[in-house]
């Protein structure tokens, strides 16, 4: 059998430690190694050792005997070792820390929240809209109004805890009497017992129902925007409020518009003649067609800004713009007449073979 460690070493205090020093050291170690908090290998044995050391060093007579005679002397003087003491792991711990209270009176609880996906078009994101979604949620039973009891009957007070939902048990320890509080096993903390269950919800007081919820989508939303509807989630328990509904927005890809932030990008092709001579084009926007003037000599990649034709800013006033990019296209096939005209144009423009082209 291994030799016992020095009690001062066990508690980590000096031999001249005061009673308060010993008490503080015990509180810290007891909390650390109590089996309810530490299930590691050896924690139980360490807790026994800590209790034993404190039993001696917290008592002035026992401590004096231990200081003079050590382990064997103290055991001979007091007639027995500490294995004979009748106390559990929790007795000293509970005397200091007030007992392990595992019970709480059942209180109103908020219902859990729900989530759904909402798919909209770019046009709907730009102007806002209303969408209807179908959800399945838990509600209070429509038959018993959430009581769980058969209509016409009422739950009765639990006879085991007298409606408290908790059971108090007085325990005696080497430090005196203390109270341990646990959840009532008969009513499970409710404080009442259903004698006749509601046939519709079978005593649960709740039922699952499908509901159509109308969601107002504000102008300016984008992918992953989350809308919050209070009170549209699952019902609470014991009179608690309902949870919330969160709708995550997904915007469909548009046929020809591309969204960049709150701006709209659009690309429009023009031919050589339109680029060289200039032209006026009808450009689509989210608000309808817009007439765009393209100046003579326009080059591929030129970007025109159409102000306030983009997406409304979600968190402030105003809108983004529509950015129109011009792309000059090269015809892939020409008629004889077109070829003749291009050849005449090429001849009239001329080429300087010695002139380096810009890159």
């Amino acid at each position: 059998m291994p030799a016992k460690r020095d009690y001062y070493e066990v508690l980590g205090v000096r031999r001249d430690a005061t009673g308060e020093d010993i008490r503080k050291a015990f509180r810290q170690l007891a909390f650390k190694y109590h089996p309810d908090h530490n299930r590691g290998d050896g924690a139980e044995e360490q807790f026994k050792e800590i209790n034993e050391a404190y039993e001696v060093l917290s008592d002035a007579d026992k401590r004096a005997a231990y200081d003079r005679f050590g382990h064997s002397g103290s055991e001979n003087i007091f007639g027995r070792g500490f294995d004979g003491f009748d106390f559990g792991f929790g007795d000293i711990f509970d005397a200091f820390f007030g007992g392990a209270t595992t019970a709480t009176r059942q209180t109103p609880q908020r219902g859990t929240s729900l989530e759904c996906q909402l798919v909209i078009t770019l046009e709907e994101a730009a102007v806002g809209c209303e969408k209807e979604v179908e959800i399945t949620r838990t509600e209070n039973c429509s038959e018993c109004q959430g009581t769980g009891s058969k209509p016409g009957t009422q739950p009765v007070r639990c006879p085991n805890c007298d409606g408290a939902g908790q059971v108090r048990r007085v325990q005696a320890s080497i430090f005196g009497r203390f109270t341990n509080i646990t959840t009532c096993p008969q009513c499970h903390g409710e404080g009442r017992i259903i004698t006749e269950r509601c046939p519709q919800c079978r005593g649960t007081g709740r039922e699952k129902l499908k509901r159509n919820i109308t969601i107002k989508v504000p102008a300016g939303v984008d992918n992953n925007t989350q809308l919050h509807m209070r009170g549209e989630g699952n019902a609470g328990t014991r009179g608690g409020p309902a949870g919330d509904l969160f709708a995550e927005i997904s915007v469909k890809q548009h046929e020809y518009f591309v969204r960049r932030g709150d701006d709209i990008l659009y690309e429009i092709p023009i031919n050589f003649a339109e680029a060289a001579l200039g032209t006026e084009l009808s450009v689509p926007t989210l608000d309808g067609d817009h007439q765009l003037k393209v100046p003579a000599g326009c080059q591929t990649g030129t970007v025109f800004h159409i102000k306030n034709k983009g997406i409304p800013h979600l968190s402030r006033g105003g809108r983004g713009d529509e950015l129109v990019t011009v792309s000059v296209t090269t015809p892939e096939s020409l008629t004889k007449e077109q070829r003749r005209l291009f050849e005449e144009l090429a001849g009239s423009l001329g080429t300087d073979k010695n002139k380096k082209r810009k890159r």
Side-chain angles (χ1 to χ4, degrees):
M1 187 173 182
K4 289 185 177 181
R5 286 200 299 155
D6 179 78
Y7 287 149
Y8 292 98
E9 179 186 345
V10 171
L11 295 182
V13 296
R14 297 164 55 92
R15 300 193 75 83
D16 59 355
T18 65
E20 183 61 23
D21 292 336
I22 291 172
R23 187 173 184 275
K24 287 182 178 179
F26 169 74
R27 284 174 62 91
Q28 293 175 352
L29 293 171
F31 188 83
K32 180 178 180 181
Y33 291 104
H34 192 280
D36 288 346
H37 296 266
N38 189 330
R39 301 187 182 277
D41 293 341
E44 183 174 320
E45 292 303 319
Q46 285 178 286
F47 188 72
K48 284 183 180 179
E49 188 180 43
I50 292 163
N51 278 340
E52 183 177 316
Y54 182 74
E55 270 300 301
V56 172
L57 300 184
S58 63
D59 184 285
D61 293 334
K62 294 178 183 180
R63 181 178 178 182
Y66 177 74
D67 288 343
R68 292 186 63 188
F69 305 107
H71 292 295
S72 59
S74 62
E75 289 175 3
N76 290 334
I77 287 176
F78 295 105
R80 58 177 173 171
F82 291 95
D83 291 339
F85 280 113
D86 183 20
F87 60 86
F89 294 133
D91 292 338
I92 294 178
F93 183 81
D94 292 339
F96 277 105
F97 300 106
T101 301
T102 58
T104 55
R105 177 59 191 258
Q106 300 293 343
T107 57
Q109 297 291 321
R110 184 182 184 86
T112 55
S113 295
L114 299 174
E115 295 181 352
C116 67
Q117 293 285 331
L118 202 58
V119 180
I120 62 174
T121 65
L122 184 64
E123 287 84 356
E124 289 172 329
V127 299
C129 62
E130 288 190 357
K131 289 288 185 177
E132 191 174 84
V133 295
E134 183 182 80
I135 63 171
T136 300
R137 69 184 180 191
T138 301
E139 298 184 5
N140 287 330
C141 174
S142 57
E143 185 73 13
C144 68
Q145 308 305 315
T147 66
S149 293
K150 181 180 177 180
T153 68
Q154 292 293 329
V156 298
R157 179 179 293 183
C158 175
N160 189 50
C161 65
D162 196 29
Q166 302 170 345
V167 176
R168 295 172 177 265
R169 181 168 58 92
V170 178
Q171 293 179 310
S173 75
I174 59 176
F175 293 104
R177 294 159 62 85
F178 62 95
T179 302
N180 186 34
I181 303 174
T182 58
T183 301
C184 176
Q186 191 165 340
C187 67
H188 306 292
E190 296 288 343
R192 60 192 183 92
I193 296 175
I194 297 173
T195 55
E196 294 186 68
R197 293 182 178 181
C198 170
Q200 181 161 314
C201 66
R202 299 181 181 180
T204 64
R206 297 153 72 83
E207 59 183 339
K208 284 190 174 293
L209 297 172
K210 289 185 177 181
R211 296 293 188 191
N212 291 324
I213 307 297
T214 299
I215 299 175
K216 292 184 178 180
V217 181
V221 296
D222 200 355
N223 285 313
N224 303 319
T225 298
Q226 196 173 66
L227 303 180
H228 184 192
M229 280 66 67
R230 294 190 180 276
E232 296 291 356
N234 288 323
T237 56
R238 293 179 289 279
D244 301 331
L245 174 64
F246 293 90
E248 186 168 303
I249 300 296
S250 177
V251 183
K252 292 180 182 178
Q253 185 174 353
H254 199 271
E255 181 181 3
Y256 42 80
F257 287 134
V258 175
R259 180 173 179 174
R260 187 179 67 188
D262 288 339
D263 292 334
I264 295 296
L265 310 184
Y266 178 71
E267 183 174 330
I268 188 168
I270 60 175
N271 59 43
F272 284 129
E274 292 171 324
L277 301 175
T279 186
E280 187 169 317
L281 304 171
S282 179
V283 177
T285 73
L286 293 172
D287 299 329
D289 290 343
H290 175 85
Q291 294 303 115
L292 177 67
K293 291 184 178 181
V294 178
C298 181
Q299 303 294 313
T300 289
T302 300
V303 178
F304 296 92
H305 284 245
I306 306 178
K307 293 291 185 180
N308 299 317
K309 292 298 181 179
I311 303 292
H313 302 308
L314 185 60
S315 57
R316 63 185 192 279
R319 298 176 63 175
D321 301 332
E322 181 170 331
L323 280 59
V324 180
T325 301
V326 170
S327 174
V328 181
T329 60
T330 301
E332 296 181 356
S333 61
L334 299 171
T335 65
K336 289 182 178 180
E337 179 63 16
Q338 289 170 337
R339 177 175 291 276
R340 184 185 66 78
L341 292 173
F342 266 111
E343 287 174 348
E344 289 181 3
L345 178 62
S348 65
L349 292 174
T351 58
D352 187 350
K353 295 182 180 179
N354 296 321
K355 185 177 180 180
K356 291 185 178 179
R357 297 180 181 273
K358 293 183 179 179
R359 297 192 179 186

